[in-house]
Amino acid sequence: MTEYVVRFLVGGVVVSAFAMLGDVLRPKSFAGLFGAAPSVALATLGIAVYQHGSGYGALQSHSMMAGAIALAVYSVFVCHLLVRARLRAAPATLVSFVVWLIVAFGLLTLAGAQT
Amino acid sequence: MTPIRFSPSSLREGRWYEYVIRFALGGAATVFTGFISSLYGASVGGLFLAVPAIFCASATLIEKHETRRKRKAGLVGERRGQKAAALDAAGAALGALGLLAFAVIFSMLVKSSKPAAFIGASLVWLIVSLAAWYVRRKVRSVWRARTVEKASGSAVSRSRYG
């Protein structure tokens, strides 16, 4: 239980710090870089390496590569939904999450998942 | 080319509960990633290190703030809000390239030195993201200049021969 409380607090602080940095930076396309900051990664990998060792962290970062490619595809998809389909931000980002899941798990399957 | 600048006044546009929501979403995403890792293993859990955890909340906030700002100025702000959120998404796509570089460097360094892995990967994320953003700006400005040149060129030929 304590582990999850620590995860929640560390994750909340790191994610909020990057999000606030994105808030105060201009232009908006530059601030958007912080929308893909390694906030969850820093918090999670820190705890994972401390608990399970560097081998576990290395394995996680291998599949993180697939997640990052999926995030790039997701962001481009969101951008097109907002500009071309004129969807509002909330539905555009939620619908596109399906794209992230398909690309991320597709790449992981292609690479051959190791557990 | 628009210079990068700080705009601390943007923080005043946010409501207190919006920051609480982002904190909670960030915390929940980190807990969820840990939970997935313990349930399905490190590989599946690793995917969620690049999950667009708070992107939905951030994009919605950006759209809301921009729409509110335009409405205060007496304009219909919905379209402007969507465009602002789209710009944020375009930036996130470039940041994702930096995140990919972060993962590559972290996996290369973590077995030899943990602090070097965290510091090196974070620096590489910043450098790759900044470089990607800069290259995009340059390409766009060259492309715009060419489009304007072509348009003015065709206008001149139309006036001469049309």
Side-chain angles (χ1 to χ4, degrees):
Chain A
M1 185 64 196
T2 317
E3 184 205 325
Y4 285 111
V5 174
V6 170
R7 273 183 192 278
F8 184 83
L9 294 176
V10 173
V13 168
V14 179
V15 166
S16 297
F18 275 108
M20 283 170 86
L21 201 54
D23 281 347
V24 296
L25 284 166
R26 292 288 178 278
K28 282 195 176 69
S29 63
F30 182 76
L33 293 178
F34 292 85
S39 40
V40 175
L42 281 172
T44 308
L45 283 171
I47 296 166
V49 168
Y50 174 76
Q51 274 190 330
H52 306 285
S54 49
Y56 191 89
L59 196 57
Q60 281 203 314
S61 56
H62 279 143
S63 40
M64 185 187 163
M65 292 175 206
I69 295 169
L71 183 61
V73 176
Y74 165 90
S75 307
V76 171
F77 198 77
V78 169
C79 193
H80 280 273
L81 282 183
L82 289 163
V83 174
R84 296 187 202 285
R86 299 193 171 211
L87 277 186
R88 301 298 298 265
T93 49
L94 288 173
V95 165
S96 304
F97 190 66
V98 178
V99 173
W100 184 86
L101 285 171
I102 292 168
V103 176
F105 280 96
L107 287 173
L108 190 68
T109 311
L110 277 178
Q114 300 164 19
T115 46
Chain B
M1 206 158 133
T2 322
I4 298 162
R5 61 185 194 281
F6 268 100
S7 171
S9 60
S10 312
L11 288 177
R12 282 197 293 272
E13 288 175 15
R15 309 274 159 84
W16 66 268
Y17 59 85
E18 293 172 347
Y19 296 105
V20 173
I21 290 171
R22 278 207 294 215
F23 181 91
L25 279 175
T30 313
V31 169
F32 180 72
T33 306
F35 183 68
I36 291 287
S37 296
S38 62
L39 214 63
Y40 299 106
S43 279
V44 177
L47 281 182
F48 288 84
L49 298 183
V51 71
I54 61 152
F55 192 81
C56 175
S58 292
T60 310
L61 285 185
I62 287 167
E63 184 189 49
K64 210 165 94 179
H65 291 171
E66 196 66 29
T67 306
R68 196 187 296 153
R69 199 179 302 144
K70 289 292 150 192
R71 273 193 192 144
K72 270 185 188 169
L75 301 162
V76 181
E78 271 84 6
R79 190 70 195 126
R80 186 62 182 256
Q82 282 171 322
K83 281 185 176 170
L87 269 177
D88 190 63
L94 300 173
L97 298 179
L99 203 61
L100 178 63
F102 174 98
V104 171
I105 297 300
F106 189 88
S107 68
M108 282 165 65
L109 295 179
V110 71
K111 282 183 180 167
S112 51
S113 166
K114 288 169 195 169
F118 281 99
I119 296 166
S122 302
L123 278 176
V124 165
W125 168 76
L126 191 63
I127 292 165
V128 171
S129 301
L130 287 175
W133 181 79
Y134 185 76
V135 167
R136 179 182 173 265
R137 298 285 290 192
K138 275 281 176 197
V139 168
R140 278 176 73 93
S141 64
V142 168
W143 183 76
R144 265 186 205 155
R146 277 187 189 163
T147 312
V148 170
E149 210 172 87
K150 265 187 189 173
S152 61
S154 62
V156 167
S157 63
R158 266 203 309 275
S159 67
R160 273 186 191 161
Y161 308 109

